[in-house]
PDB file of all heavy atoms in Angstrom:
ATOM      1  N   PRO A 217       0.813  -1.213   0.000  1.00 76.00           N
ATOM      2  CA  PRO A 217       0.000   0.000   0.000  1.00 76.00           C
ATOM      3  C   PRO A 217       0.848   1.264   0.000  1.00 76.00           C
ATOM      4  O   PRO A 217       1.997   1.267   0.444  1.00 76.00           O
ATOM      5  CB  PRO A 217      -0.816  -0.118   1.301  1.00 76.00           C
ATOM      6  CG  PRO A 217      -0.026  -1.053   2.160  1.00 76.00           C
ATOM      7  CD  PRO A 217       0.643  -2.008   1.225  1.00 76.00           C
ATOM      8  N   PHE A 218       0.259   2.330  -0.504  1.00 78.00           N
ATOM      9  CA  PHE A 218       0.944   3.616  -0.550  1.00 78.00           C
ATOM     10  C   PHE A 218       1.049   4.218   0.854  1.00 78.00           C
ATOM     11  O   PHE A 218       0.235   3.946   1.722  1.00 78.00           O
ATOM     12  CB  PHE A 218       0.182   4.596  -1.447  1.00 78.00           C
ATOM     13  CG  PHE A 218       0.187   4.209  -2.892  1.00 78.00           C
ATOM     14  CD1 PHE A 218      -0.899   3.561  -3.452  1.00 78.00           C
ATOM     15  CD2 PHE A 218       1.272   4.497  -3.702  1.00 78.00           C
ATOM     16  CE1 PHE A 218      -0.904   3.205  -4.785  1.00 78.00           C
ATOM     17  CE2 PHE A 218       1.281   4.155  -5.037  1.00 78.00           C
ATOM     18  CZ  PHE A 218       0.190   3.508  -5.588  1.00 78.00           C
ATOM     19  N   ALA A 219       2.042   5.088   1.004  1.00 73.00           N
ATOM     20  CA  ALA A 219       2.255   5.755   2.297  1.00 73.00           C
ATOM     21  C   ALA A 219       1.539   7.103   2.302  1.00 73.00           C
ATOM     22  O   ALA A 219       2.164   8.155   2.283  1.00 73.00           O
ATOM     23  CB  ALA A 219       3.745   5.936   2.553  1.00 73.00           C
ATOM     24  N   GLY A 220       0.218   7.055   2.295  1.00 71.00           N
ATOM     25  CA  GLY A 220      -0.553   8.292   2.393  1.00 71.00           C
ATOM     26  C   GLY A 220      -1.048   8.797   1.044  1.00 71.00           C
ATOM     27  O   GLY A 220      -0.552   8.417  -0.010  1.00 71.00           O
ATOM     28  N   PRO A 221      -2.055   9.687   1.076  1.00 69.00           N
ATOM     29  CA  PRO A 221      -2.660  10.209  -0.158  1.00 69.00           C
ATOM     30  C   PRO A 221      -1.673  10.925  -1.070  1.00 69.00           C
ATOM     31  O   PRO A 221      -1.786  10.839  -2.291  1.00 69.00           O
ATOM     32  CB  PRO A 221      -3.736  11.176   0.368  1.00 69.00           C
ATOM     33  CG  PRO A 221      -4.051  10.696   1.750  1.00 69.00           C
ATOM     34  CD  PRO A 221      -2.767  10.153   2.280  1.00 69.00           C
ATOM     35  N   GLN A 222      -0.704  11.640  -0.516  1.00 70.00           N
ATOM     36  CA  GLN A 222       0.246  12.353  -1.360  1.00 70.00           C
ATOM     37  C   GLN A 222       1.090  11.386  -2.186  1.00 70.00           C
ATOM     38  O   GLN A 222       1.471  11.695  -3.318  1.00 70.00           O
ATOM     39  CB  GLN A 222       1.142  13.252  -0.506  1.00 70.00           C
ATOM     40  CG  GLN A 222       0.397  14.405   0.139  1.00 70.00           C
ATOM     41  CD  GLN A 222      -0.368  15.239  -0.874  1.00 70.00           C
ATOM     42  OE1 GLN A 222       0.132  15.573  -1.939  1.00 70.00           O
ATOM     43  NE2 GLN A 222      -1.597  15.587  -0.534  1.00 70.00           N
ATOM     44  N   ALA A 223       1.375  10.208  -1.628  1.00 77.00           N
ATOM     45  CA  ALA A 223       2.103   9.201  -2.393  1.00 77.00           C
ATOM     46  C   ALA A 223       1.255   8.676  -3.539  1.00 77.00           C
ATOM     47  O   ALA A 223       1.773   8.345  -4.610  1.00 77.00           O
ATOM     48  CB  ALA A 223       2.522   8.045  -1.476  1.00 77.00           C
ATOM     49  N   VAL A 224      -0.059   8.607  -3.336  1.00 79.00           N
ATOM     50  CA  VAL A 224      -0.963   8.200  -4.408  1.00 79.00           C
ATOM     51  C   VAL A 224      -0.893   9.198  -5.549  1.00 79.00           C
ATOM     52  O   VAL A 224      -0.784   8.834  -6.727  1.00 79.00           O
ATOM     53  CB  VAL A 224      -2.415   8.082  -3.885  1.00 79.00           C
ATOM     54  CG1 VAL A 224      -3.365   7.731  -5.029  1.00 79.00           C
ATOM     55  CG2 VAL A 224      -2.499   7.038  -2.790  1.00 79.00           C
ATOM     56  N   LEU A 225      -0.956  10.477  -5.215  1.00 73.00           N
ATOM     57  CA  LEU A 225      -0.887  11.512  -6.252  1.00 73.00           C
ATOM     58  C   LEU A 225       0.448  11.484  -6.976  1.00 73.00           C
ATOM     59  O   LEU A 225       0.506  11.649  -8.201  1.00 73.00           O
ATOM     60  CB  LEU A 225      -1.120  12.891  -5.632  1.00 73.00           C
ATOM     61  CG  LEU A 225      -2.549  13.205  -5.189  1.00 73.00           C
ATOM     62  CD1 LEU A 225      -2.597  14.578  -4.543  1.00 73.00           C
ATOM     63  CD2 LEU A 225      -3.503  13.149  -6.369  1.00 73.00           C
ATOM     64  N   ALA A 226       1.535  11.267  -6.235  1.00 73.00           N
ATOM     65  CA  ALA A 226       2.848  11.211  -6.873  1.00 73.00           C
ATOM     66  C   ALA A 226       2.911  10.046  -7.850  1.00 73.00           C
ATOM     67  O   ALA A 226       3.470  10.157  -8.949  1.00 73.00           O
ATOM     68  CB  ALA A 226       3.934  11.076  -5.812  1.00 73.00           C
ATOM     69  N   TYR A 227       2.337   8.920  -7.460  1.00 76.00           N
ATOM     70  CA  TYR A 227       2.313   7.761  -8.355  1.00 76.00           C
ATOM     71  C   TYR A 227       1.481   8.052  -9.596  1.00 76.00           C
ATOM     72  O   TYR A 227       1.896   7.767 -10.722  1.00 76.00           O
ATOM     73  CB  TYR A 227       1.735   6.554  -7.614  1.00 76.00           C
ATOM     74  CG  TYR A 227       1.499   5.362  -8.512  1.00 76.00           C
ATOM     75  CD1 TYR A 227       2.528   4.474  -8.792  1.00 76.00           C
ATOM     76  CD2 TYR A 227       0.256   5.158  -9.101  1.00 76.00           C
ATOM     77  CE1 TYR A 227       2.323   3.395  -9.620  1.00 76.00           C
ATOM     78  CE2 TYR A 227       0.047   4.086  -9.932  1.00 76.00           C
ATOM     79  CZ  TYR A 227       1.072   3.202 -10.195  1.00 76.00           C
ATOM     80  OH  TYR A 227       0.859   2.147 -11.029  1.00 76.00           O
ATOM     81  N   LEU A 228       0.287   8.608  -9.382  1.00 73.00           N
ATOM     82  CA  LEU A 228      -0.596   8.894 -10.514  1.00 73.00           C
ATOM     83  C   LEU A 228       0.053   9.859 -11.497  1.00 73.00           C
ATOM     84  O   LEU A 228      -0.113   9.737 -12.708  1.00 73.00           O
ATOM     85  CB  LEU A 228      -1.928   9.464 -10.007  1.00 73.00           C
ATOM     86  CG  LEU A 228      -2.867   8.467  -9.332  1.00 73.00           C
ATOM     87  CD1 LEU A 228      -4.070   9.185  -8.745  1.00 73.00           C
ATOM     88  CD2 LEU A 228      -3.318   7.392 -10.306  1.00 73.00           C
ATOM     89  N   SER A 229       0.800  10.828 -10.965  1.00 69.00           N
ATOM     90  CA  SER A 229       1.435  11.803 -11.842  1.00 69.00           C
ATOM     91  C   SER A 229       2.468  11.138 -12.752  1.00 69.00           C
ATOM     92  O   SER A 229       2.762  11.644 -13.835  1.00 69.00           O
ATOM     93  CB  SER A 229       2.112  12.900 -11.016  1.00 69.00           C
ATOM     94  OG  SER A 229       3.202  12.388 -10.280  1.00 69.00           O
ATOM     95  N   ARG A 230       3.013   9.993 -12.320  1.00 72.00           N
ATOM     96  CA  ARG A 230       4.000   9.295 -13.139  1.00 72.00           C
ATOM     97  C   ARG A 230       3.356   8.317 -14.107  1.00 72.00           C
ATOM     98  O   ARG A 230       3.929   7.998 -15.139  1.00 72.00           O
ATOM     99  CB  ARG A 230       4.984   8.519 -12.249  1.00 72.00           C
ATOM    100  CG  ARG A 230       5.853   9.386 -11.365  1.00 72.00           C
ATOM    101  CD  ARG A 230       7.010   8.579 -10.784  1.00 72.00           C
ATOM    102  NE  ARG A 230       6.556   7.391 -10.082  1.00 72.00           N
ATOM    103  CZ  ARG A 230       6.272   7.349  -8.786  1.00 72.00           C
ATOM    104  NH1 ARG A 230       6.364   8.451  -8.060  1.00 72.00           N
ATOM    105  NH2 ARG A 230       5.880   6.233  -8.212  1.00 72.00           N
ATOM    106  N   TYR A 231       2.167   7.810 -13.786  1.00 74.00           N
ATOM    107  CA  TYR A 231       1.602   6.716 -14.560  1.00 74.00           C
ATOM    108  C   TYR A 231       0.442   7.078 -15.479  1.00 74.00           C
ATOM    109  O   TYR A 231       0.283   6.468 -16.521  1.00 74.00           O
ATOM    110  CB  TYR A 231       1.126   5.598 -13.603  1.00 74.00           C
ATOM    111  CG  TYR A 231       2.204   4.589 -13.306  1.00 74.00           C
ATOM    112  CD1 TYR A 231       3.241   4.905 -12.436  1.00 74.00           C
ATOM    113  CD2 TYR A 231       2.187   3.335 -13.885  1.00 74.00           C
ATOM    114  CE1 TYR A 231       4.242   3.989 -12.154  1.00 74.00           C
ATOM    115  CE2 TYR A 231       3.186   2.416 -13.610  1.00 74.00           C
ATOM    116  CZ  TYR A 231       4.204   2.745 -12.742  1.00 74.00           C
ATOM    117  OH  TYR A 231       5.199   1.841 -12.474  1.00 74.00           O
ATOM    118  N   THR A 232      -0.387   8.021 -15.090  1.00 76.00           N
ATOM    119  CA  THR A 232      -1.610   8.244 -15.860  1.00 76.00           C
ATOM    120  C   THR A 232      -1.351   8.742 -17.267  1.00 76.00           C
ATOM    121  O   THR A 232      -2.011   8.319 -18.216  1.00 76.00           O
ATOM    122  CB  THR A 232      -2.530   9.252 -15.141  1.00 76.00           C
ATOM    123  OG1 THR A 232      -1.778  10.447 -14.863  1.00 76.00           O
ATOM    124  CG2 THR A 232      -3.076   8.684 -13.858  1.00 76.00           C
ATOM    125  N   HIS A 233      -0.404   9.642 -17.444  1.00 77.00           N
ATOM    126  CA  HIS A 233      -0.166  10.236 -18.751  1.00 77.00           C
ATOM    127  C   HIS A 233       1.200   9.839 -19.312  1.00 77.00           C
ATOM    128  O   HIS A 233       1.801  10.563 -20.087  1.00 77.00           O
ATOM    129  CB  HIS A 233      -0.297  11.758 -18.666  1.00 77.00           C
ATOM    130  CG  HIS A 233      -1.695  12.213 -18.381  1.00 77.00           C
ATOM    131  ND1 HIS A 233      -2.270  12.108 -17.131  1.00 77.00           N
ATOM    132  CD2 HIS A 233      -2.640  12.740 -19.182  1.00 77.00           C
ATOM    133  CE1 HIS A 233      -3.504  12.573 -17.186  1.00 77.00           C
ATOM    134  NE2 HIS A 233      -3.755  12.956 -18.407  1.00 77.00           N
ATOM    135  N   ARG A 234       1.680   8.687 -18.918  1.00 81.00           N
ATOM    136  CA  ARG A 234       2.959   8.190 -19.431  1.00 81.00           C
ATOM    137  C   ARG A 234       2.774   7.681 -20.867  1.00 81.00           C
ATOM    138  O   ARG A 234       1.711   7.166 -21.234  1.00 81.00           O
ATOM    139  CB  ARG A 234       3.465   7.070 -18.535  1.00 81.00           C
ATOM    140  CG  ARG A 234       4.781   6.467 -18.975  1.00 81.00           C
ATOM    141  CD  ARG A 234       5.263   5.409 -18.015  1.00 81.00           C
ATOM    142  NE  ARG A 234       5.746   5.973 -16.759  1.00 81.00           N
ATOM    143  CZ  ARG A 234       6.294   5.258 -15.792  1.00 81.00           C
ATOM    144  NH1 ARG A 234       6.422   3.959 -15.923  1.00 81.00           N
ATOM    145  NH2 ARG A 234       6.713   5.832 -14.678  1.00 81.00           N
ATOM    146  N   VAL A 235       3.823   7.809 -21.672  1.00 88.00           N
ATOM    147  CA  VAL A 235       3.829   7.255 -23.028  1.00 88.00           C
ATOM    148  C   VAL A 235       4.825   6.102 -23.071  1.00 88.00           C
ATOM    149  O   VAL A 235       5.495   5.812 -22.078  1.00 88.00           O
ATOM    150  CB  VAL A 235       4.181   8.330 -24.075  1.00 88.00           C
ATOM    151  CG1 VAL A 235       3.140   9.438 -24.080  1.00 88.00           C
ATOM    152  CG2 VAL A 235       5.565   8.913 -23.817  1.00 88.00           C
ATOM    153  N   ALA A 236       4.925   5.439 -24.233  1.00 89.00           N
ATOM    154  CA  ALA A 236       5.716   4.216 -24.329  1.00 89.00           C
ATOM    155  C   ALA A 236       7.163   4.415 -23.895  1.00 89.00           C
ATOM    156  O   ALA A 236       7.754   3.536 -23.268  1.00 89.00           O
ATOM    157  CB  ALA A 236       5.651   3.669 -25.753  1.00 89.00           C
ATOM    158  N   ILE A 237       7.762   5.549 -24.238  1.00 92.00           N
ATOM    159  CA  ILE A 237       9.125   5.834 -23.817  1.00 92.00           C
ATOM    160  C   ILE A 237       9.278   7.335 -23.651  1.00 92.00           C
ATOM    161  O   ILE A 237       8.765   8.112 -24.459  1.00 92.00           O
ATOM    162  CB  ILE A 237      10.169   5.283 -24.815  1.00 92.00           C
ATOM    163  CG1 ILE A 237      11.592   5.432 -24.248  1.00 92.00           C
ATOM    164  CG2 ILE A 237      10.029   5.933 -26.177  1.00 92.00           C
ATOM    165  CD1 ILE A 237      12.641   4.684 -25.044  1.00 92.00           C
ATOM    166  N   SER A 238       9.955   7.758 -22.605  1.00 90.00           N
ATOM    167  CA  SER A 238      10.189   9.180 -22.377  1.00 90.00           C
ATOM    168  C   SER A 238      11.506   9.587 -23.015  1.00 90.00           C
ATOM    169  O   SER A 238      12.403   8.758 -23.226  1.00 90.00           O
ATOM    170  CB  SER A 238      10.222   9.496 -20.881  1.00 90.00           C
ATOM    171  OG  SER A 238      11.338   8.869 -20.268  1.00 90.00           O
ATOM    172  N   ASN A 239      11.631  10.863 -23.306  1.00 92.00           N
ATOM    173  CA  ASN A 239      12.876  11.363 -23.893  1.00 92.00           C
ATOM    174  C   ASN A 239      14.075  11.166 -22.965  1.00 92.00           C
ATOM    175  O   ASN A 239      15.215  11.028 -23.419  1.00 92.00           O
ATOM    176  CB  ASN A 239      12.735  12.847 -24.237  1.00 92.00           C
ATOM    177  CG  ASN A 239      11.784  13.084 -25.395  1.00 92.00           C
ATOM    178  OD1 ASN A 239      11.713  12.263 -26.305  1.00 92.00           O
ATOM    179  ND2 ASN A 239      11.050  14.182 -25.350  1.00 92.00           N
ATOM    180  N   ARG A 240      13.837  11.137 -21.666  1.00 91.00           N
ATOM    181  CA  ARG A 240      14.929  10.987 -20.696  1.00 91.00           C
ATOM    182  C   ARG A 240      15.640   9.646 -20.830  1.00 91.00           C
ATOM    183  O   ARG A 240      16.794   9.520 -20.429  1.00 91.00           O
ATOM    184  CB  ARG A 240      14.404  11.143 -19.276  1.00 91.00           C
ATOM    185  CG  ARG A 240      13.880  12.526 -18.934  1.00 91.00           C
ATOM    186  CD  ARG A 240      13.633  12.643 -17.439  1.00 91.00           C
ATOM    187  NE  ARG A 240      12.691  11.647 -16.977  1.00 91.00           N
ATOM    188  CZ  ARG A 240      11.376  11.799 -16.980  1.00 91.00           C
ATOM    189  NH1 ARG A 240      10.842  12.918 -17.455  1.00 91.00           N
ATOM    190  NH2 ARG A 240      10.578  10.845 -16.530  1.00 91.00           N
ATOM    191  N   ARG A 241      14.956   8.643 -21.375  1.00 93.00           N
ATOM    192  CA  ARG A 241      15.556   7.312 -21.485  1.00 93.00           C
ATOM    193  C   ARG A 241      16.407   7.150 -22.736  1.00 93.00           C
ATOM    194  O   ARG A 241      17.138   6.167 -22.868  1.00 93.00           O
ATOM    195  CB  ARG A 241      14.458   6.247 -21.464  1.00 93.00           C
ATOM    196  CG  ARG A 241      13.777   6.093 -20.109  1.00 93.00           C
ATOM    197  CD  ARG A 241      12.574   5.174 -20.204  1.00 93.00           C
ATOM    198  NE  ARG A 241      12.941   3.884 -20.775  1.00 93.00           N
ATOM    199  CZ  ARG A 241      12.062   3.021 -21.261  1.00 93.00           C
ATOM    200  NH1 ARG A 241      10.773   3.328 -21.273  1.00 93.00           N
ATOM    201  NH2 ARG A 241      12.455   1.869 -21.769  1.00 93.00           N
ATOM    202  N   LEU A 242      16.337   8.098 -23.659  1.00 95.00           N
ATOM    203  CA  LEU A 242      17.111   8.000 -24.898  1.00 95.00           C
ATOM    204  C   LEU A 242      18.558   8.396 -24.637  1.00 95.00           C
ATOM    205  O   LEU A 242      18.836   9.413 -23.999  1.00 95.00           O
ATOM    206  CB  LEU A 242      16.508   8.904 -25.968  1.00 95.00           C
ATOM    207  CG  LEU A 242      15.056   8.597 -26.370  1.00 95.00           C
ATOM    208  CD1 LEU A 242      14.566   9.614 -27.377  1.00 95.00           C
ATOM    209  CD2 LEU A 242      14.935   7.188 -26.924  1.00 95.00           C
ATOM    210  N   LEU A 243      19.484   7.605 -25.161  1.00 95.00           N
ATOM    211  CA  LEU A 243      20.907   7.851 -24.941  1.00 95.00           C
ATOM    212  C   LEU A 243      21.642   8.268 -26.211  1.00 95.00           C
ATOM    213  O   LEU A 243      22.521   9.128 -26.164  1.00 95.00           O
ATOM    214  CB  LEU A 243      21.579   6.596 -24.360  1.00 95.00           C
ATOM    215  CG  LEU A 243      21.044   6.102 -23.003  1.00 95.00           C
ATOM    216  CD1 LEU A 243      21.737   4.821 -22.606  1.00 95.00           C
ATOM    217  CD2 LEU A 243      21.195   7.173 -21.931  1.00 95.00           C
ATOM    218  N   ALA A 244      21.332   7.641 -27.337  1.00 95.00           N
ATOM    219  CA  ALA A 244      22.072   7.939 -28.570  1.00 95.00           C
ATOM    220  C   ALA A 244      21.228   7.574 -29.780  1.00 95.00           C
ATOM    221  O   ALA A 244      20.358   6.694 -29.724  1.00 95.00           O
ATOM    222  CB  ALA A 244      23.393   7.173 -28.606  1.00 95.00           C
ATOM    223  N   PHE A 245      21.507   8.256 -30.897  1.00 96.00           N
ATOM    224  CA  PHE A 245      20.860   7.983 -32.179  1.00 96.00           C
ATOM    225  C   PHE A 245      21.905   8.186 -33.265  1.00 96.00           C
ATOM    226  O   PHE A 245      22.371   9.306 -33.480  1.00 96.00           O
ATOM    227  CB  PHE A 245      19.662   8.926 -32.365  1.00 96.00           C
ATOM    228  CG  PHE A 245      19.045   8.868 -33.731  1.00 96.00           C
ATOM    229  CD1 PHE A 245      18.798   7.657 -34.349  1.00 96.00           C
ATOM    230  CD2 PHE A 245      18.717  10.040 -34.409  1.00 96.00           C
ATOM    231  CE1 PHE A 245      18.232   7.605 -35.619  1.00 96.00           C
ATOM    232  CE2 PHE A 245      18.156  10.011 -35.664  1.00 96.00           C
ATOM    233  CZ  PHE A 245      17.907   8.787 -36.273  1.00 96.00           C
ATOM    234  N   ASN A 246      22.293   7.090 -33.918  1.00 94.00           N
ATOM    235  CA  ASN A 246      23.331   7.158 -34.942  1.00 94.00           C
ATOM    236  C   ASN A 246      23.122   6.036 -35.957  1.00 94.00           C
ATOM    237  O   ASN A 246      22.024   5.453 -36.033  1.00 94.00           O
ATOM    238  CB  ASN A 246      24.715   7.081 -34.306  1.00 94.00           C
ATOM    239  CG  ASN A 246      24.826   5.907 -33.324  1.00 94.00           C
ATOM    240  OD1 ASN A 246      24.276   4.833 -33.568  1.00 94.00           O
ATOM    241  ND2 ASN A 246      25.512   6.129 -32.212  1.00 94.00           N
ATOM    242  N   GLU A 247      24.180   5.715 -36.736  1.00 93.00           N
ATOM    243  CA  GLU A 247      24.065   4.703 -37.771  1.00 93.00           C
ATOM    244  C   GLU A 247      23.709   3.331 -37.204  1.00 93.00           C
ATOM    245  O   GLU A 247      23.069   2.507 -37.875  1.00 93.00           O
ATOM    246  CB  GLU A 247      25.380   4.594 -38.556  1.00 93.00           C
ATOM    247  CG  GLU A 247      25.768   5.853 -39.318  1.00 93.00           C
ATOM    248  CD  GLU A 247      26.410   6.890 -38.412  1.00 93.00           C
ATOM    249  OE1 GLU A 247      26.634   6.581 -37.211  1.00 93.00           O
ATOM    250  OE2 GLU A 247      26.682   8.008 -38.887  1.00 93.00           O
ATOM    251  N   ALA A 248      24.121   3.076 -35.969  1.00 93.00           N
ATOM    252  CA  ALA A 248      23.830   1.780 -35.352  1.00 93.00           C
ATOM    253  C   ALA A 248      22.372   1.644 -34.943  1.00 93.00           C
ATOM    254  O   ALA A 248      21.876   0.532 -34.770  1.00 93.00           O
ATOM    255  CB  ALA A 248      24.729   1.580 -34.132  1.00 93.00           C
ATOM    256  N   GLY A 249      21.679   2.750 -34.771  1.00 95.00           N
ATOM    257  CA  GLY A 249      20.282   2.720 -34.364  1.00 95.00           C
ATOM    258  C   GLY A 249      20.020   3.637 -33.190  1.00 95.00           C
ATOM    259  O   GLY A 249      20.716   4.646 -32.992  1.00 95.00           O
ATOM    260  N   VAL A 250      19.038   3.279 -32.381  1.00 97.00           N
ATOM    261  CA  VAL A 250      18.630   4.076 -31.226  1.00 97.00           C
ATOM    262  C   VAL A 250      18.999   3.316 -29.952  1.00 97.00           C
ATOM    263  O   VAL A 250      18.622   2.156 -29.780  1.00 97.00           O
ATOM    264  CB  VAL A 250      17.121   4.366 -31.243  1.00 97.00           C
ATOM    265  CG1 VAL A 250      16.734   5.233 -30.048  1.00 97.00           C
ATOM    266  CG2 VAL A 250      16.706   5.038 -32.541  1.00 97.00           C
ATOM    267  N   THR A 251      19.731   3.981 -29.086  1.00 96.00           N
ATOM    268  CA  THR A 251      20.146   3.376 -27.814  1.00 96.00           C
ATOM    269  C   THR A 251      19.365   4.024 -26.677  1.00 96.00           C
ATOM    270  O   THR A 251      19.262   5.255 -26.613  1.00 96.00           O
ATOM    271  CB  THR A 251      21.653   3.571 -27.579  1.00 96.00           C
ATOM    272  OG1 THR A 251      22.375   3.001 -28.686  1.00 96.00           O
ATOM    273  CG2 THR A 251      22.099   2.892 -26.297  1.00 96.00           C
TER     274      THR A 251
END
């Protein structure tokens, strides 16, 4: 269980409007492909 209502909101803020991959996870884009 979550540690209080604020933890619920923090979780929802990360999950409700998430897309397949965030820009933060991208490392490189070159001839080899996408890392």
Side-chain angles (χ1 to χ4, degrees):
F218 293 99
Q222 293 306 316
V224 177
L225 288 177
Y227 172 85
L228 287 174
S229 67
R230 295 194 305 269
Y231 270 75
T232 54
H233 293 75
R234 180 177 288 184
V235 298
I237 188 169
S238 66
N239 290 326
R240 294 191 302 273
R241 290 172 55 197
L242 300 177
L243 299 176
F245 172 45
N246 50 38
E247 297 80 5
V250 182
T251 303

